[in-house]
Amino acid sequence: MDSAQLRQQVAIAVESLIWRIGQSYEFTVVLGSGLSSFVDRMDGQMIVPYAEIPGFPVSTVKGHTSELVAGSIGGHRVLCFAGRFHYYEGYDAATVTIPVRVAQALGVRTALFTNAAGGIADRLRLGDLMVIEDHLNLLTADSPLRGLADEVFGSKFVNMYAAYDPTVTRALKSVGERRSLPIACGVYAALSGPQFETRAEIRMLRILGADAVGMSTIPEVIVANQAGMRVGAVSVITDLATDTVTELSHDQVLATARRADEHLAELLTGVIEGADW
Ligand code: HPA
């Protein structure tokens, strides 16, 4: 997608959303596969199905709801995207990041991304909430900034040295520890999917320094950094992608994600309630 088309799609989405849900939001939360409990904790919910947002793609993956929920947590205004778009659905990287661009236009300064991921590091357990400290972008065939005009969205040479904001990352860890949630931290790697990894690929990821592997989030993190947002992200460990695993399915990923969903909702809620930045 070129800059003009992307700008137009974002503009028509923003225009239609402003009269439905207003603007001046502080936080955006993007919920990954099988994750939806956070929405139940929001006050004053206003729900807009993606299908009713002009310019928005439509999520096609099982386990993903497809709606925007606007509301608040502890007095902070929050835009929650319940359901994301993936590169593996056939969208290009710029398209999957439209929600982040829309959030930016509606005032958002902090983005919290979540996903389901396979655990690679031996210390990780099923249901752990891994705070993402850094990433390995192996979705390199396409960047959400590729080909974009700098005049439209700002410089495409985005500094990714501290892509995950230290203040938000610290808040995620300390809220998790204080509430006795199963918190871990590590490096997230994204591959394009949708097939899961071979045993050799898992060994490769381990050697490269990945602690968990998934198929999303990184394009959104890149765009949120370009937009100057503070970024925090959490992987819910839904399977152990060790090279001894022989059975792994999308249904299994969803089932584990649903079990960890309340923990994730508690973590995100705690971080937003306590935010003083
Ligand atoms: N690999 C890639 N993506 C995933 C996995 C996995 O094991 N689990 C959830 N998303």
Side-chain angles (χ1 to χ4, degrees):
M1 191 166 23
D2 64 25
S3 305
Q5 201 186 337
L6 181 60
R7 177 168 55 181
Q8 199 197 351
Q9 273 186 247
V10 171
I12 59 171
V14 169
E15 192 187 317
S16 93
L17 284 171
I18 282 178
W19 70 263
R20 287 191 70 168
I21 59 166
Q23 43 191 333
S24 305
Y25 288 88
E26 285 171 75
F27 287 84
T28 189
V29 171
V30 178
L31 297 176
S33 303
L35 304 169
S36 60
S37 296
F38 173 77
V39 164
D40 301 332
R41 304 200 179 209
M42 295 171 72
D43 299 318
Q45 297 172 14
M46 293 175 279
I47 299 175
V48 186
Y50 291 167
E52 294 176 16
I53 307 175
F56 239 58
V58 176
S59 170
T60 61
V61 194
K62 181 177 166 190
H64 274 260
T65 35
S66 297
E67 55 195 28
L68 171 58
V69 183
S72 64
I73 298 272
H76 296 282
R77 281 164 61 79
V78 179
L79 273 184
C80 177
F81 293 94
R84 66 149 50 82
F85 307 108
H86 303 82
Y87 183 71
Y88 67 68
E89 291 174 80
Y91 301 117
D92 63 15
T95 301
V96 305
T97 58
I98 286 176
V100 182
R101 302 246 180 239
V102 168
Q104 179 189 17
L106 295 178
V108 165
R109 305 289 304 143
T110 303
L112 298 171
F113 298 104
T114 69
N115 58 50
I120 292 175
D122 292 333
R123 64 178 186 281
L124 294 173
R125 298 286 169 264
L126 286 184
D128 275 358
L129 305 178
M130 189 191 87
V131 177
I132 301 179
E133 295 180 307
D134 208 343
H135 73 221
L136 283 169
N137 185 7
L138 303 173
L139 275 165
T140 46
D142 192 7
S143 162
L145 310 181
R146 182 172 169 268
L148 293 189
D150 288 0
E151 311 74 69
V152 181
F153 295 108
S155 171
K156 56 182 157 294
F157 300 106
V158 174
N159 186 337
M160 295 293 288
Y161 195 81
Y164 298 85
D165 181 77
T167 304
V168 181
T169 302
R170 220 176 302 120
L172 286 164
K173 289 184 201 168
S174 68
V175 169
E177 280 157 18
R178 258 183 286 139
R179 300 192 180 206
S180 304
L181 298 171
I183 287 282
C185 54
V187 173
Y188 172 81
L191 300 178
S192 56
Q195 70 286 346
F196 290 113
E197 298 70 39
T198 64
R199 285 176 291 173
E201 285 164 347
I202 292 165
R203 287 196 297 275
M204 171 190 78
L205 290 165
R206 193 187 280 271
I207 291 166
L208 292 179
D211 297 304
V213 57
M215 307 173 189
S216 69
T217 307
I218 290 180
E220 292 141 281
V221 169
I222 293 170
V223 167
N225 272 273
Q226 185 188 39
M229 294 179 189
R230 287 180 188 273
V231 172
V234 181
S235 287
V236 175
I237 304 301
T238 54
D239 51 276
L240 298 176
T242 62
D243 60 4
T244 53
V245 169
T246 50
E247 259 183 50
L248 173 59
S249 68
H250 187 56
D251 286 338
Q252 184 190 337
V253 166
L254 292 182
T256 317
R258 290 199 177 103
R259 285 197 291 277
D261 196 16
E262 280 297 331
H263 283 161
L264 180 73
E266 186 170 348
L267 177 63
L268 297 173
T269 307
V271 166
I272 295 171
E273 280 171 351
D276 58 0
W277 57 78

